[in-house]
Structures are given as C-alpha cells and as structure tokens.
Amino acid sequence: KNEVEQSPQNLTAQEGEFITINCSYSVGISALHWLQQHPGGGIVSLFMLSSGKKKHGRLIATINIQEKHSSLHITASHPRDSAVYICAVKSSKGTSGSRLTFGEGTQLTVNP
Amino acid sequence: EPEVTQTPSHQVTQMGQEVILRCVPISNHLYFYWYRQILGQKVEFLVSFYNNEISEKSEIFDDQFSVERPDGSNFTLKIRSTKLEDSAMYFCASSKREYTGELFFGEGSRLTVL
C-alpha cells in the first residue's frame, strides 16, 4: 500500500466548476505539501500545511491530522488550472524527516 | 521573485558516461534536495543536503550518485556511470527550514541515457 494515496487519478471538469482533489496518507507527518506540475514538467509549490486550512486566490487546502486526510479545492476552475496536482508528505519519523513522499498525482483537465 | 535555477534543461548522454546536473538554490536557503521523476511515474526523493553534508538519502541514491556544494552557490548532482534506467527528470529544490519550510523547485533537468 502506498504511503500517499490520491483520488481521483484523472479529473475532467468544465470551466467554472468547483473541484476537489483528495489525499490520504498512512504515516505521521510534520507537513503536507500540495504541488502543481505543469505540462512542461516544472513543479510549483502551492501550499504547505501542518494543520487547518489555507487559502490562496481560488485555491483552498485543508488537512485533518486525525483522519490523515487532506483536500485541495479549486473554485471557479479555469482551463489554465489544467495540470497535475501532487500531494506530498514529510514524515514525522526522526530518520526520514527530511524526505518528501509523493502521491501519484491527479491529472486535472478543465475544458472551456 | 527568487527562484531555483537548474542547468542543463535537457542532456542526452551515452550509457556509462558521467553526468553533472547543476542547481542554484535560493540564496538564503539552507536545505537542498534532489528528486527524480521517471517518465510516467511519481516523483521520488533522492537526497537532502544541509551544512555541507548529506542529511538523508534514499535507497536509489547509491554509490553512483554524489552531491556537493562546491562554491557556496551551486548544488550539483553527479552520476558517475549512467545507466539506461537513470533516464528521468531531475528536480532540485531548496527550503529555509527542514521540516516545515516551503519548498521551491527548479524547472528540472531532463536526462536521457542512450
């Protein structure tokens, strides 16, 4: 079983729709990252969370530490949001605390 | 806005050749990382580096790999004798803090081993 599971793997939406991508993890963590990978391959950090909720523009990220679950929401989606969204966690275990463990990613396509 | 830069953006090499991938992290960052992504697969951790030494490395990071920060600005990943399976996108990243610092990624270096 993967330490980080994302769902769905693929998501197609119409412009303007509200989008949710989910991430579940099985280890204790010190932080969870949401990343965006563009078609060219570059990776951009969207959020880093250790508790609660963060908002940046149309993006909202939440985390429930007890349930080991995080969600990334996109409001009023736009075709430029089309990308792969990746959840990654930093374990709270002492010997592996600096590495990120990545999910498989969610391919989002937003159609006009 | 400060950014992490990587060179080259794409390198093609013959199996068995040495390759050096270069990264310039953000200037006030203290923690440096290399990750790789084989085509169609998820991103994998290779190594973390702090205070001029490796702080953690993965099972992938065997004796064929090495990292160094030769001059206080560049952070390099060397693959001594490349194999076909080393073909991947290699990402450098840096952060101010180890556990809770936001990560900044470079655009990646695509390595193709023939």
Side-chain angles (χ1 to χ4, degrees):
Chain A
K1 186 181 186 297
N2 290 329
E3 288 186 0
V4 182
E5 299 268 2
Q6 283 186 239
S7 63
Q9 283 187 311
N10 293 283
L11 181 55
T12 301
Q14 288 300 121
E15 184 173 356
E17 285 185 5
F18 181 84
I19 286 160
T20 296
I21 299 169
N22 295 299
C23 175
S24 296
Y25 52 92
S26 58
V27 296
I29 65 168
S30 59
L32 181 145
H33 295 252
W34 280 104
L35 309 167
Q36 181 190 54
Q37 187 167 30
H38 296 291
I43 295 175
V44 174
S45 178
L46 299 175
F47 294 104
M48 188 195 63
L49 295 161
S50 53
S51 64
K53 176 178 173 178
K54 286 190 177 179
K55 184 176 190 291
H56 185 253
R58 294 180 295 106
L59 301 178
I60 303 165
T62 63
I63 188 167
N64 184 320
I65 297 293
Q66 286 73 30
E67 294 186 4
K68 293 188 167 62
H69 181 268
S70 176
S71 294
L72 176 69
H73 306 285
I74 305 175
T75 61
S77 59
H78 190 276
R80 66 174 174 266
D81 296 326
S82 298
V84 176
Y85 292 83
I86 302 171
C87 171
V89 301
K90 274 201 175 179
S91 170
S92 57
K93 291 180 187 174
T95 57
S96 61
S98 66
R99 70 173 67 190
L100 278 182
T101 301
F102 292 77
E104 301 276 353
T106 295
Q107 173 69 63
L108 172 65
T109 304
V110 182
N111 294 318
Chain B
E1 186 173 320
E3 59 180 15
V4 177
T5 57
Q6 287 186 240
T7 54
S9 56
H10 188 193
Q11 181 157 355
V12 181
T13 190
Q14 295 291 325
M15 191 169 56
Q17 295 297 304
E18 177 182 283
V19 161
I20 297 176
L21 305 178
R22 291 183 169 79
C23 169
V24 179
I26 294 172
S27 61
N28 62 348
H29 284 188
L30 301 175
Y31 298 88
F32 313 111
Y33 309 88
W34 283 101
Y35 297 91
R36 81 169 185 192
Q37 185 178 33
I38 294 169
L39 187 64
Q41 297 186 21
K42 62 182 178 180
V43 180
E44 302 172 289
F45 168 80
L46 288 178
V47 66
S48 58
F49 192 86
Y50 169 72
N51 200 26
N52 278 322
E53 60 182 25
I54 290 173
S55 49
E56 188 176 354
K57 60 183 181 179
S58 73
E59 304 72 29
I60 303 166
F61 194 88
D62 61 21
D63 292 343
Q64 291 287 85
F65 292 90
S66 62
V67 290
E68 63 174 0
R69 199 149 186 257
D71 56 11
S73 60
N74 289 285
F75 178 49
T76 62
L77 174 69
K78 182 192 290 186
I79 309 174
R80 286 192 185 81
S81 177
T82 49
K83 307 185 191 75
L84 296 176
E85 54 265 36
D86 294 327
S87 295
M89 181 78 98
Y90 289 81
F91 293 100
C92 173
S94 69
S95 67
K96 277 188 186 177
R97 293 181 298 278
E98 183 174 19
Y99 297 108
T100 58
E102 184 181 358
L103 268 181
F104 291 79
F105 286 83
E107 286 292 310
S109 294
R110 182 169 298 282
L111 175 65
T112 302
V113 182
L114 302 176

